[in-house]
Amino acid sequence: MRNFASYDVDIRRRTSGVVKTICNKCLPTRHNKRDHSLRVNIDTGHCHCYHCGADFYVPDDNEEREKAEHRAARQRRAAAIPQHFQRPVFDSSKTVLSEATERWLVETRCIPQSVIAALRITEQDEYMPQSAKNERCICFNYFEGEQLINTKFRGINEKHFKMVQGAELIPYNIDSVLGQTSCIIHEGELDAASSIAAGFKSVISVPAGANSNLSWLDRFMETHFEDLKEIIIAVDTDSAGLKLRDELINRLGAERCRVVTYGPECKDANEHLCKYGISSLRIAIEQAAEVPLEGVFTAADLHGDLLALFDNGFGPGADTGWKEMDDICTYERGRFAVITGMPGAGKSEWLDELVLRLCLRHQWKIAFFSPENIPIVYHHRKLIEKLTAHRFQRSYGMSEGLMMQAEEFLTENVSHISLKGNVTPERVLGKARELVVRRGCRILVLDPLNRFDHAPQPGQTETQYLSNLLNKFTEFAVQYNCLVILVAHPRKMNRNPVTNSTPRVEMYDINGSADFYNKADYGIVVERDKEVGVTRVYVDKVKFKHLGLGGMVTFAYDPVSGRYLPCTESHDPAVPVDRRVGGVTYDSTCWLPEKELFD
């Protein structure tokens, strides 16, 4: 049932079909009070007025109940502040600033006293690690509700910063976003205060400056940012600020983001405020430009990127910590990689370690679509063994505390996609997009291709279908700035009747299309030599030479930890097979990041 009366719609006692009735939205301004201009479809809930153009939808009882439950759940999640972080204590007696500090904020940084009071800015003496001494600091207090979550200390005489050790990172002034349809995001607290001074209400700043790791967003995406219609990115215009801008746009969606341009010789909002005044800053923010159209670029659009590349040159991509591997291949986000190899070669096992290493070293969160690692708890067991270097059993050195620490790391950094029903590439990519937005995932593993439910269009050849599918994976990598890694099986490889050996798999041997090689940014082949007892990883393609030139690395597999250990291999036929592997250094260290000690 639909409650039309709650939407001020009279359906004249009808229970189904289409009825025309009076539109109460435009009735007060109508001369003809009896005109039935509102068309109501009672079955679908759609209502349209042919006089005023009002067009709206009346949900049924189930939809209303689900919306109410969704709102309540969001409110509960918003109220459920994690308790395992260090919590500073707010001292209201310190809200009276010294004359020197207040003069600096008001006269030098142009922040009105009313804004200082509203943001509850304080000051105190604090030990600063940059100078190794106590300094007089301004304290920017990060509240959520009435709970003080964190404090950023800024030296008054020296530009030194620190935050409370072990405290949670949340956006500054986050409560201002709740219930709003738009917000402004700055890089610093003084910039946020500048926008508030210019009359804007919904204003925040990122907690850790120009840091591209936006994991602090995860907890607030659904409760604070999901319903925003407009987000104004007003970060600094230096190279670090441009990276932050791009990450925010990537997470929050280009279609609702606008970007602020500051006045000449101003890199942030506070400089603009001090140089040009409140009215000028307000105009600059109100005139924030839309993000350029997707797929259309000019040199001016790329000015910041060109300047950063001109100043810094090409650098290598993300390394893995396998030195021998890093010498031939490093990784960038926004790229598409294809991994292949014979069944049983250890492709998935080696890939698991590759992405864990990228996650540990570069904080790239991982999303797995890996139907062959079902049940998912078995896959977690393997990942925990790699992280800890212990077999996943109590009697083999794995303590419950270590297991819980590994579980906490995986909870923070690894997600698995497991869908019921028809598992098409489109459904998986749709879920992966949600993980990019909600959890900040930066690596998408699709393992393997043949576990998708494929549905070519009528008349479409296998080659055409695969070409379109690989385009979708590549476009996803670029659009969402992810490293997408696809595992694809090769065709059946026949033994050479003369040598009785099977030739090495190459990228062009992948079943179905040469496009697996042609469209990949990285082409990697994993080969297991059971006779010698090694795994050889061939990097057959690296599209951009600054990321590597390709080659081969030999690994020994550690069955206890599941780790791959680079080694040397002799190809001298005079050397016995069981002695051809050397230089193996077993790594028994735990890879889990050490937890910070609280003050």
Side-chain angles (χ1 to χ4, degrees), residues 187-200:
E187 190 175 320
E189 297 82 3
L190 284 174
D191 298 321
S194 299
S195 280
I196 296 171
F200 297 97

Side-chain angles (χ1 to χ4, degrees), residues 79-381:
I81 301 172
Q83 298 301 310
H84 60 277
F85 292 102
Q86 181 83 349
R87 289 282 185 260
V89 177
F90 182 67
D91 186 350
S92 59
S93 67
K94 296 180 180 178
T95 54
V96 178
L97 301 177
S98 66
E99 181 181 351
T101 299
E102 190 161 359
R103 185 180 295 275
W104 182 82
L105 285 169
V106 174
E107 296 183 359
T108 305
R109 306 314 293 259
C110 301
I111 307 299
Q113 291 173 316
S114 59
V115 175
I116 297 171
L119 292 173
R120 291 182 275 190
I121 297 173
T122 58
E123 69 172 314
Q124 68 185 60
D125 289 328
E126 186 70 23
Y127 177 83
M128 302 299 282
Q130 297 95 330
S131 61
K133 63 180 182 181
N134 281 357
E135 296 183 29
R136 196 63 180 167
C137 294
I138 293 176
C139 307
F140 297 103
N141 296 299
Y142 285 61
F143 284 91
E144 186 176 5
E146 292 303 311
Q147 172 70 57
L148 180 61
I149 305 298
N150 208 333
T151 297
K152 181 181 284 187
F153 303 98
R154 184 196 194 280
I156 297 176
N157 297 321
E158 299 288 341
K159 198 173 180 180
H160 296 156
F161 296 94
K162 81 168 189 179
M163 301 188 82
V164 175
Q165 189 174 18
E168 183 185 8
L169 291 180
I170 69 168
Y172 183 62
N173 199 34
I174 184 61
D175 289 340
S176 69
V177 178
L178 280 172
Q180 302 298 313
T181 59
S182 67
C183 82
I184 303 169
I185 302 180
H186 286 285
E187 190 175 320
E189 297 82 3
L190 284 174
D191 298 321
S194 299
S195 280
I196 296 171
F200 297 97
K201 303 298 184 185
S202 181
V203 182
I204 65 171
S205 77
V206 300
N211 188 328
S212 58
N213 181 2
L214 303 184
S215 58
W216 49 266
L217 256 179
D218 298 350
R219 184 163 74 84
F220 300 98
M221 280 300 298
E222 185 177 2
T223 54
H224 290 67
F225 294 95
E226 189 172 88
D227 294 335
L228 294 178
K229 305 293 188 244
E230 177 187 70
I231 300 172
I232 297 175
I233 311 295
V235 296
D236 293 6
T237 56
D238 54 15
S239 59
L242 293 175
K243 288 182 180 179
L244 173 61
R245 175 204 67 189
D246 292 343
E247 282 294 319
L248 288 168
I249 291 172
N250 191 54
R251 286 292 303 272
L252 299 169
E255 68 280 357
R256 56 176 180 165
C257 287
R258 295 197 290 140
V259 178
V260 172
T261 300
Y262 297 112
E265 301 179 8
C266 297
K267 71 176 180 63
D268 59 37
N270 189 248
E271 286 188 5
H272 189 115
L273 172 66
C274 296
K275 191 174 182 66
Y276 298 107
I278 284 178
S279 298
S280 178
L281 176 60
R282 184 171 185 86
I283 291 170
I285 292 173
E286 289 175 341
Q287 293 181 347
E290 294 180 346
V291 175
L293 291 173
E294 182 180 349
V296 180
F297 301 96
T298 67
D301 297 328
L302 301 172
H303 172 73
D305 296 328
L306 285 171
L307 187 60
L309 189 60
F310 180 74
D311 290 338
N312 304 319
F314 283 103
D319 63 342
T320 62
W322 282 318
K323 182 183 181 305
E324 295 81 356
M325 196 73 192
D326 295 334
D327 289 341
I328 63 173
C329 181
T330 56
Y331 300 88
E332 273 186 350
R333 285 160 29 193
R335 303 291 174 205
F336 176 49
V338 176
I339 295 180
T340 190
M342 294 295 290
K347 301 182 291 296
S348 298
E349 192 82 21
W350 183 83
L351 174 56
D352 283 348
E353 183 166 346
L354 170 68
V355 296
L356 275 181
R357 285 172 170 270
L358 291 171
C359 178
L360 286 159
R361 297 176 75 85
H362 306 287
Q363 293 76 55
W364 292 0
K365 294 184 179 182
I366 310 162
F368 282 101
F369 170 70
S370 187
E372 294 189 348
N373 279 305
I374 296 294
I376 295 172
V377 67
Y378 289 1
H379 194 203
H380 278 125
R381 172 187 63 81

Side-chain angles (χ1 to χ4, degrees), residues 331 335-341 347-348 350-351 354-355 367-371 425 428-429 443-452 454 465-474 476-477 482-490 507 510-511 513 515-517 519-526:
Y331 300 88
R335 303 291 174 205
F336 176 49
V338 176
I339 295 180
T340 190
K347 301 182 291 296
S348 298
W350 183 83
L351 174 56
L354 170 68
V355 296
F368 282 101
F369 170 70
S370 187
V428 172
L429 291 179
I443 301 174
L444 173 61
V445 174
L446 306 171
D447 180 15
L449 177 67
N450 63 356
R451 293 299 296 270
F452 286 101
H454 299 287
Y465 171 76
L466 287 173
S467 178
N468 291 339
L469 179 60
L470 297 178
N471 285 342
K472 290 178 182 178
F473 294 150
T474 303
F476 184 93
C482 290
L483 174 62
V484 176
I485 305 176
L486 173 69
V487 176
H489 294 313
M507 290 294 295
I510 298 177
N511 192 37
S513 174
D515 279 339
F516 286 103
Y517 178 85
K519 295 190 175 184
D521 296 305
Y522 300 93
I524 299 173
V525 180
V526 179

